[in-house]
Amino acid sequence: MTQIQTVSDRIQTRKLSFLRNRVMYTKYIPIILINGKHAYVADESTPSGLMECDTREEARNKAREYRDHAKARIAVKEE
């Protein structure tokens, strides 16, 4: 596991389409920037292994939540 050194304030979402059982699903995936690289938010309960949101606003809120959680982990380690 890579050590988290910096977490950017920027967040992103990406619209991805998945084909499951011959049905096309379009979902929004939250992305945060860690150590200058894009990091997709993982979710083991979904078939893709990524957090899948139905709306872009929901994905943005989840990205903010995980970004803040990552920043809090850094703050605790620095103390």
Side-chain angles (χ1 to χ4, degrees):
M1 179 178 241
T2 305
Q3 185 80 356
I4 297 175
Q5 297 170 352
T6 61
V7 177
S8 174
D9 288 333
R10 292 180 47 210
I11 59 166
Q12 293 181 354
T13 61
R14 181 133 321 138
K15 183 178 177 181
L16 295 178
S17 296
F18 303 98
L19 186 62
R20 296 183 186 135
N21 299 324
R22 297 184 177 181
V23 177
M24 183 70 74
Y25 294 94
T26 301
K27 300 290 184 175
Y28 293 90
I29 311 299
I31 302 170
I32 59 177
L33 277 73
I34 297 178
N35 297 340
K37 296 181 181 180
H38 293 93
Y40 290 83
V41 178
D43 184 2
E44 297 298 324
S45 66
T46 62
S48 67
L50 301 173
M51 180 170 285
E52 300 174 4
C53 301
D54 293 323
T55 64
R56 184 174 184 180
E57 190 59 36
E58 180 185 358
R60 292 178 76 192
N61 289 336
K62 289 292 185 180
R64 286 184 188 110
E65 179 183 325
Y66 278 84
R67 175 198 63 198
D68 294 343
H69 179 70
K71 283 187 170 200
R73 284 181 58 194
I74 291 174
V76 168
K77 287 182 180 180
E78 289 177 353
E79 291 178 357

